Amino acid sequence: MSEQATTDPYRHYVNGEWTDGHGSETFDSENPATGEPLATFHRGTEADVDAALEAAEDAFEEWRELSHIDRAEYLWDIYHELRERHDELGEIITKECGKEISEGKADVAEAWHMVEWAAGNARHPHGDVVPSEIGSKDAYMRRKPRGVIGCITPWNFPVAIPFWHMAIALVEGNTVVWKPAEQTPWCGQIIAEMFEDAGIPDGVFNMVQGFGDAGAAISEDERVDTVLFTGSAEVGHEIASKVGGEPGKLAACEMGGKNGIVITENADLDIAVHSAVMSSFKTTGQRCVSSERLIVHTDVYDEFKDRYVEIAEKVAVDDPLEEDTFMGPAIEPEHVEKIQKHNDLARQEGAEVLVDRFELDDDEIPDGHEDGNWVGPFVYEIEYDSDLRCLKEECFGPHVALLEYDGDIERALEIHNDTPYGLAGAIISEDYRQINYFRDHAELGLAYANLPCIGAEVHLPFGGVKKSGNGYPSAREAIEAVTERTAWTLNNSKDIE
Ligand code: NAD
């Protein structure tokens, strides 16, 4: 892994140094496809977070004085490294978080797209010049860095999401304390090495490995000016409610979804089946944009169901390091249990189970991978009822409800919008009026037409509404969370009126 981290376990990166930290506990990163340990890491404590925050505070005054373009230079080095190490890093991601190698490599590409966007942004206009009410005055909106940004990230995009948060925060002149997910510390180690290799000044970038207690120590500390969080609704709401009460502190939290695809009576069923399969099973359903509800018009319901179920019966899990693998394992044994609980809940609430491959047969598990966290598709149909928890709670696995609707697009949207979440969703339709109605009425941050709910372009805002998000800790809109705005008025005359 690292030339600098010569001891095992791997260390935190604080104030430009690799450190064992103050705690005595360590934890292992494991390969979800085999159960094998990959490496051991020091577990961060409150004292480690304290040291990292102190370093970030100290480094802020000098860092903010550099120009945007000078700060971006460090990011350009990382951009080139991400590109050069594309295949190698994709493989590491796949080994540590289990997603298919094509998805591991896509994660790296998304990271460099984000770094390219953030570093390129250094040469873009910042703020606004507005006309003044008085001719002799100039009026501007100027942006300033906020200070120390605490970044807390999930395991499922272990390289891309940290750069969603950190790249723009750093270019805008903030310093950073980051905690990678406990399931993907190896990816964290590599990113920290990249910042070190780029020669970023001491204290500007700091990484503390660890669990939720270290995350809470970051988000709750008064020295943190903005928290950028991506992860579960449970944790994000806890952070937002605690931090939201503190004047002057921001928490931009991106969370989960209970995403749906509406398939109307005139849908192209090839597109519908492809979109549903990709959205529900890719990355084993463990994407924030994965679809767990398919809302299908009665006129095409039976044909769609037959075609979708036929594929769900056959979708194969395999070694995620193989190029043509469609579906890898779940992240960890606890998550397999959680998926099972969601499947059980659907059954208890009256689901008609169409496919139950939660427990795969031995011959479906790839050779040599018997200790991996394998699960297969669970597909059910159920009559829509607003009281059903199985239609409202995110499973984050290959767990899919088919819901038949009869009526117009308004009825489809009633069902679609009946979840506490509002992250991603799609419509499959050949009728532009239905598509436009969906665009205007779906309670979503990310909406797709005639496409799977999959992927994101970094120069678009990425985030959800309702319970899925309270701000945009990523992409273009994150600038709002990492800068302060000053209304600046300059008098060009001697007249002080
Ligand atoms: P998680 O909420 O369990 O953990 C996310 C991070 O928060 C981890 O680093 C964890 O250690 C930390 N954490 C845990 N408890 C904390 C606390 N009390 N205070 C501060 N930090 C704490 O989420 P996960 O299992 O890593 O990721 C899966 C979830 O993330 C899913 O719900 C998925 O939908 C969501 N997600 C959302 C997006 C998006 O852009 N909307 C993207 C990816 C994943």
Side-chain angles (χ1 to χ4, degrees):
M1 245 191 272
S2 154
E3 303 223 337
Q4 288 78 16
T6 49
T7 55
D8 196 16
Y10 288 97
R11 298 180 277 180
H12 315 292
Y13 187 73
V14 174
N15 205 17
E17 307 256 323
W18 295 98
T19 163
D20 289 354
H22 298 77
S24 53
E25 284 184 42
T26 59
F27 66 105
D28 286 345
S29 158
E30 283 178 7
N31 183 333
T34 61
E36 284 162 358
L38 294 166
T40 303
F41 298 81
H42 283 283
R43 176 175 177 160
T45 62
E46 224 173 284
D48 300 322
V49 169
D50 181 61
L53 288 171
E54 193 178 321
E57 261 207 330
D58 289 349
F60 176 60
E61 289 310 324
E62 269 189 49
W63 180 245
R64 70 177 300 176
E65 295 306 327
L66 295 184
S67 72
H68 281 72
I69 290 159
D70 286 343
R71 289 192 294 258
E73 283 302 324
Y74 298 97
L75 273 298
W76 284 122
D77 281 0
I78 292 177
Y79 165 82
H80 291 298
E81 193 173 345
L82 285 164
R83 292 203 72 140
E84 277 157 23
R85 296 175 66 190
H86 184 194
D87 290 354
E88 176 209 341
L89 296 179
E91 205 169 292
I92 290 171
I93 291 172
T94 290
K95 280 189 185 150
E96 196 171 44
C97 87
K99 60 184 174 181
E100 310 86 51
I101 185 70
S102 54
E103 295 298 315
K105 289 182 193 170
D107 199 319
V108 184
E110 189 172 324
W112 87 55
H113 292 156
M114 185 52 79
V115 173
E116 177 185 42
W117 175 81
N121 204 55
R123 288 189 183 270
H124 283 196
H126 273 63
D128 292 317
V129 178
V130 299
S132 170
E133 289 164 4
I134 298 166
S136 61
K137 288 184 180 167
D138 289 338
Y140 308 91
M141 185 277 278
R142 286 179 57 83
R143 289 184 187 278
K144 291 188 291 203
R146 282 182 60 79
V148 176
I149 310 293
C151 301
I152 303 169
T153 53
W155 63 265
N156 70 332
F157 282 82
V159 173
I161 290 181
F163 284 111
W164 287 8
H165 294 349
M166 295 192 294
I168 191 66
L170 291 167
V171 170
E172 290 295 336
N174 304 279
T175 54
V176 157
V177 175
W178 169 47
K179 192 198 83 60
E182 55 270 35
Q183 297 88 348
T184 50
W186 184 6
C187 292
Q189 169 74 20
I190 283 167
I191 291 174
E193 288 170 14
M194 285 184 178
F195 277 105
E196 185 191 34
D197 292 347
I200 196 135
D202 296 351
V204 169
F205 161 87
N206 305 275
M207 177 200 64
V208 177
Q209 297 278 15
F211 288 66
D213 53 341
I218 295 173
S219 62
E220 290 171 25
D221 195 286
E222 60 182 21
R223 287 166 290 181
V224 172
D225 298 286
T226 297
V227 182
L228 301 180
F229 168 84
T230 303
S232 64
E234 195 189 351
V235 175
H237 290 182
E238 189 185 325
I239 292 175
S241 63
K242 283 188 177 152
V243 171
E246 291 180 42
K249 188 163 172 179
L250 284 179
C253 300
E254 244 330 279
M255 296 162 278
K258 186 71 180 176
N259 310 308
I261 302 182
V262 170
I263 297 163
T264 69
E265 63 276 27
N266 51 56
D268 177 324
L269 287 194
D270 289 343
I271 296 178
V273 172
H274 173 77
S275 299
V277 167
M278 296 298 283
S279 303
S280 44
F281 303 134
K282 255 319 206 187
T283 322
T284 323
Q286 302 168 111
R287 285 165 169 258
C288 56
V289 294
S290 294
S291 293
E292 296 184 6
R293 298 177 304 139
L294 304 175
I295 302 152
V296 189
H297 193 275
T298 188
D299 288 358
V300 290
Y301 185 81
D302 287 341
E303 186 183 345
F304 173 82
K305 177 170 93 173
D306 289 349
R307 290 177 62 179
Y308 180 75
V309 163
E310 192 186 340
I311 296 175
E313 292 282 12
K314 287 196 299 222
V315 159
V317 300
D318 209 341
D319 177 356
L321 286 169
E322 296 291 332
E323 285 293 339
D324 55 358
T325 292
F326 181 74
M327 205 165 122
I331 181 67
E332 56 192 353
E334 295 78 9
H335 194 55
V336 173
E337 278 172 33
K338 187 181 155 209
I339 294 170
Q340 185 171 26
K341 282 194 186 133
H342 280 271
N343 295 350
D344 290 346
L345 172 68
R347 265 202 199 86
Q348 285 154 19
E349 292 191 312
E352 183 72 33
V353 179
L354 303 172
V355 179
D356 183 358
R357 296 175 60 219
F358 170 74
E359 272 185 47
L360 293 163
D361 295 337
D362 288 349
D363 61 0
E364 293 183 272
I365 310 279
D367 288 345
H369 293 70
E370 290 72 17
D371 293 330
N373 311 316
W374 300 103
V375 292
F378 181 86
V379 179
Y380 60 101
E381 57 186 351
I382 195 159
E383 193 173 332
Y384 163 72
D385 181 331
S386 185
D387 291 333
L388 293 174
R389 280 174 52 208
C390 64
L391 299 181
K392 303 219 164 165
E393 295 174 11
E394 183 190 44
C395 169
F396 212 51
H399 162 107
V400 186
L402 261 62
L403 297 159
E404 183 174 357
Y405 78 94
D406 192 4
D408 49 22
I409 187 69
E410 286 83 351
R411 173 64 183 154
L413 263 290
E414 257 172 50
I415 298 172
H416 175 274
N417 288 342
D418 191 14
T419 87
Y421 291 103
L423 186 59
I427 180 165
I428 313 298
S429 168
E430 294 292 295
D431 179 339
Y432 78 91
R433 289 184 190 84
Q434 290 180 336
I435 290 175
N436 287 347
Y437 187 86
F438 182 86
R439 181 196 63 200
D440 294 343
H441 295 88
E443 293 170 353
L444 295 173
L446 307 160
Y448 307 80
N450 292 323
L451 279 172
C453 298
I454 212 161
E457 303 210 20
V458 300
H459 44 281
L460 277 171
F462 190 95
V465 298
K466 294 160 76 178
K467 210 176 160 181
S468 295
N470 74 339
Y472 286 71
S474 69
R476 202 174 75 187
E477 310 298 306
I479 293 178
E480 300 298 330
V482 298
T483 57
E484 274 168 2
R485 287 158 292 285
T486 307
W488 173 240
T489 312
L490 170 68
N491 185 6
N492 291 308
S493 79
K494 295 281 185 194
D495 183 352
I496 57 164
E497 285 303 311

